[in-house]
């Protein structure tokens, strides 16, 4: 295995078009946090051994290279914080080993749409599409296929970090309301971040099937309808952010069964009724609920509630 890691420097200019040729001999190309600009090289060699491509934090433009479809060993693709202008690369769903997909803070746009692949993104367990211009309904066809976020039996699996003894992957994750740098990525960590886009419609009930999720962020969209009752199945969820949408109805009492929940943000919606009592809900402050209709602050009492009209 060979590694090219130029991350966290001040290199600039265009990426050489021959960069994809290195993929035949390299398993890691890490150019994170530099000043590279122009397009990503569009050609990667067939039969390559690329496992990690990390171009986060540059000024890259253009399209996601379609030749990535031949990178059958690819596990981590991080294109976050660039200027890429493209639609959702649905064809990446055919990559059998892809576990981490970060497209955060680019100019991606349009509907995520449908996939012609029978079971897309089956190995994906970390997906970050935040701060783009995606629109339309949440992509239920993809959410149903995320088998790597379902039924993880941590008691009977070896907890390992992505990578090997020579190189271990790292990434920046926004979870629990904070940016956290993971210098290593645990193989049991799972999160979905679709925040700050233009998604609309209801939240699919099928998200409840992703019962190994640690983090879920759908904030700052145009989502409507109720909070799904199926969320009660997300037993190890640690962070849930549905703020700044148009959700209505009550906060389900069933959410009190989420005993691992550390951070909850339901603010800036149209929720009404009582705030559930018990379990983790006893620890959440007023900022978890502000900006909902007829909100009444009983900060010093346990029976904080959202009043009906």
């Amino acid at each position: 295995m060979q590694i090219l890691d130029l991350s966290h420097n001040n290199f600039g200019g265009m990426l050489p078009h021959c960069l994809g040729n290195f993929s035949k001999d390299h398993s890691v190309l890490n150019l994170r946090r530099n000043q590279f600009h122009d397009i990503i090289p569009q050609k990667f060699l067939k039969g390559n051994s690329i496992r990690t491509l990390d171009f986060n934090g540059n000024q890259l433009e253009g399209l996601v290279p379609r030749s990535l479809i031949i990178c059958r060993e690819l596990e981590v693709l991080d294109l976050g914080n660039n200027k890429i202008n493209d639609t959702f690369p649905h064809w990446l769903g055919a990559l059998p080993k892809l576990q981490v997909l970060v497209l955060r803070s680019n100019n991606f746009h349009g509907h995520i749409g449908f996939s012609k692949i029978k079971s897309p993104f089956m190995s994906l367990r970390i997906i970050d599409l935040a701060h783009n211009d995606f629109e339309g309904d949440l992509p239920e066809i993809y959410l149903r296929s995320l088998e790597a976020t379902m039924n993880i039996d941590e008691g009977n699996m070896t907890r390992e970090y992505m990578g090997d003894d020579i190189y271990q992957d790292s990434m920046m994750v926004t979870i629990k309301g904070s940016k956290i740098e993971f210098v290593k990525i645990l193989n049991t960590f799972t999160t979905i971040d679709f925040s700050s886009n233009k998604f609309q419609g209801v939240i699919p009930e099928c998200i409840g099937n992703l019962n190994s999720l640690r983090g879920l962020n759908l904030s700052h969209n145009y989502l409507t309808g109720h909070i799904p009752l199926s969320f009660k199945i997300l037993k190890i969820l640690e962070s849930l952010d549905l703020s700044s949408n148009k959700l209505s109805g009550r906060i389900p009492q069933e959410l009190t069964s989420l005993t691992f929940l550390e951070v909850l943000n339901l603010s800036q919606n149209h929720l009404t009724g009582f705030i559930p009592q018990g379990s983790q809900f006893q620890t959440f402050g007023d900022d978890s609920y502000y900006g909902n209709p007829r909100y009444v602050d009983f900060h010093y009492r346990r029976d904080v509630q959202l009043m009906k009209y």
Side-chain angles (χ1 to χ4, degrees):
M1 181 187 73
Q2 296 192 38
I3 297 166
L4 178 61
D5 187 349
L6 304 178
S7 61
H8 298 274
N9 280 291
N10 199 32
F11 294 119
M14 298 171 55
L15 293 177
H17 293 293
C18 64
L19 184 66
N21 296 337
F22 289 107
S23 61
K24 185 175 181 179
D25 301 314
H26 289 73
S27 63
V28 175
L29 289 175
N30 188 348
L31 307 181
R32 168 183 288 265
R33 299 291 297 274
N34 280 284
Q35 301 293 326
F36 293 113
H37 62 84
D38 206 64
I39 66 171
I40 300 173
Q42 296 294 300
K43 184 178 180 180
F44 288 83
L45 296 179
K46 189 174 182 180
N48 67 71
S49 57
I50 284 289
R51 184 182 63 78
T52 297
L53 278 177
D54 189 345
F55 296 159
N56 192 304
N58 285 279
Q59 300 176 43
L60 299 171
E61 305 172 5
L63 306 176
V64 179
R66 268 45 178 180
S67 61
L68 288 177
I69 193 64
I70 64 175
C71 299
R72 308 301 288 177
E73 301 299 316
L74 191 63
E75 297 180 5
V76 177
L77 178 60
D78 191 343
L79 303 178
N81 297 288
N82 280 286
K83 299 179 181 179
I84 298 170
N85 191 342
D86 202 352
T87 55
F88 182 72
H90 57 87
W91 38 271
L92 290 174
L95 296 179
K97 298 184 179 181
L98 187 63
Q99 298 182 47
V100 178
L101 177 61
V102 179
L103 305 179
R104 180 185 189 90
S105 297
N106 278 281
N107 296 315
F108 286 96
H109 56 273
H111 292 238
I112 290 186
F114 298 97
S115 173
K116 297 180 180 179
I117 303 166
K118 184 178 180 180
S119 298
F121 297 110
M122 291 183 62
S123 298
L124 196 63
R125 55 188 179 83
I126 298 173
I127 178 168
D128 188 350
L129 307 183
H131 294 276
N132 282 288
D133 286 314
F134 290 118
E135 58 186 340
D137 294 339
L138 290 174
E140 187 168 352
I141 188 171
Y142 296 111
L143 293 170
R144 290 184 179 276
S145 297
L146 300 179
E147 293 190 3
T149 65
M150 305 177 191
N151 305 315
I152 296 177
D153 186 358
E154 295 189 25
N156 290 320
M157 68 181 297
T158 303
R159 293 168 67 89
E160 299 175 339
Y161 295 101
M162 293 191 65
D164 50 36
D165 293 337
I166 301 175
Y167 180 92
Q168 292 180 326
D169 296 297
S170 62
M171 66 179 299
M172 184 72 71
V173 177
T174 300
I175 191 171
K176 301 180 184 179
S178 302
K179 288 185 178 181
I180 302 174
E181 183 174 6
F182 286 10
V183 295
K184 300 179 181 179
I185 307 173
L186 198 63
N187 63 347
T188 57
F189 180 70
T190 58
T191 186
I192 294 175
D193 192 342
F194 289 170
S195 64
S196 298
N197 281 282
K198 298 176 182 177
F199 290 116
Q200 59 191 36
V202 301
I203 300 175
E205 289 279 346
C206 67
I207 290 182
N209 296 329
L210 311 180
N211 57 3
S212 297
L213 270 183
R214 296 285 184 178
L216 177 61
N217 190 344
L218 304 177
S219 67
H220 294 87
N221 283 287
Y222 301 101
L223 300 174
T224 56
H226 295 182
I227 299 174
L229 291 177
S230 64
F231 277 16
K232 66 183 180 182
I233 306 173
L234 305 176
K235 297 296 185 181
I236 63 172
L237 193 69
E238 298 176 10
S239 177
L240 175 61
D241 192 344
L242 305 178
S243 64
S244 298
N245 280 289
K246 299 180 179 181
L247 300 174
S248 58
R250 295 175 177 271
I251 303 171
Q253 178 67 32
E254 290 82 356
L255 294 187
T256 59
S257 66
L258 305 182
T259 55
F260 281 77
L261 198 61
E262 297 179 18
V263 175
L264 175 69
N265 193 346
L266 304 178
S267 64
Q268 301 294 343
N269 278 287
H270 304 308
L271 300 169
T272 57
F274 290 93
I275 293 174
Q277 298 300 296
S279 187
Q280 298 299 95
F281 276 77
Q282 301 294 95
T283 67
F284 301 137
D286 292 2
D287 55 350
S288 292
Y289 313 107
Y290 79 92
N292 282 284
R294 301 289 296 274
Y295 177 62
V296 179
D297 182 1
F298 297 125
H299 181 71
Y300 297 104
R301 298 172 57 190
R302 290 290 186 185
D303 60 344
V304 178
Q305 60 179 317
L306 296 171
M307 302 298 290
K308 294 182 179 179
Y309 279 114

